[in-house]
Amino acid sequence: MRGAKIRIMRIALALIPLALVVACTDPREACLSNAVEELSTVDALILETEQALERGYRTYPTNTGRASVGYCIGNRSGGTVAIGLSLCNDVRPQIVDKPVAIDRAEEQRKLEDLRQTRARLALRSEAEASACRARFPAAG
């Protein structure tokens, strides 16, 4: 059951960009999208926290430089033109996900807080969405 819930949330999160594209052309959809934007963000945070609790760790993107050595053709330092090959080194940024242990109790508290926030936002979002539907009746 939990896996199905996560899949549904992932699908809903994947549809948000599509809703935003549609919202760009239709004032009703733009209004509805704005009404649920914060709720969608909280849903994503709930999903992320649930996954961290399941795994026992979070991942954070970390920038690590990767050095490489090779032969280069072109300008030397100082702007003079180099003809031929020279030895050069290059550091290229590389983003990797670094696992970091979590405090399960803290994550559980965070999850409960997010769920309470979601409940409040759901009520507010529904009220805002109803106002959008009243302001911009469906064409049809």
Side-chain angles (χ1 to χ4, degrees):
M1 181 69 175
R2 184 177 181 104
K5 187 169 130 182
I6 289 174
R7 277 192 298 275
I8 290 169
M9 289 180 75
R10 284 185 180 157
I11 291 169
L13 290 173
L15 292 176
I16 290 172
L18 178 61
L20 292 174
V21 168
V22 171
C24 291
T25 58
D26 183 1
R28 182 176 199 257
E29 290 301 318
C31 185
L32 290 170
S33 179
N34 287 338
V36 298
E37 181 179 10
E38 201 169 350
L39 185 62
S40 297
T41 300
V42 171
D43 282 341
L45 291 170
I46 287 171
L47 177 62
E48 183 181 309
T49 305
E50 287 174 342
Q51 289 174 338
L53 281 166
E54 279 184 25
R55 288 189 311 255
Y57 65 90
R58 285 187 174 276
T59 58
Y60 293 99
T62 305
N63 187 1
T64 60
R66 179 171 220 152
S68 64
V69 176
Y71 291 99
C72 298
I73 301 173
N75 292 341
R76 292 184 183 162
S77 61
T80 60
V81 176
I83 298 174
L85 296 175
S86 61
L87 189 61
C88 61
N89 58 0
D90 187 20
V91 177
R92 297 179 186 192
Q94 181 179 15
I95 306 295
V96 295
D97 286 334
K98 179 181 178 185
V100 177
I102 61 169
D103 178 347
R104 286 188 178 278
E106 181 181 332
E107 292 290 322
Q108 193 62 47
R109 283 190 301 272
K110 184 189 312 182
L111 182 59
E112 292 307 315
D113 183 49
L114 285 167
R115 286 178 176 158
Q116 289 173 6
T117 300
R118 189 198 188 288
R120 285 192 313 273
L121 285 174
L123 294 174
R124 188 177 85 193
S125 293
E126 184 53 41
E128 289 176 8
S130 293
C132 290
R133 287 188 286 274
R135 185 173 174 204
F136 302 105

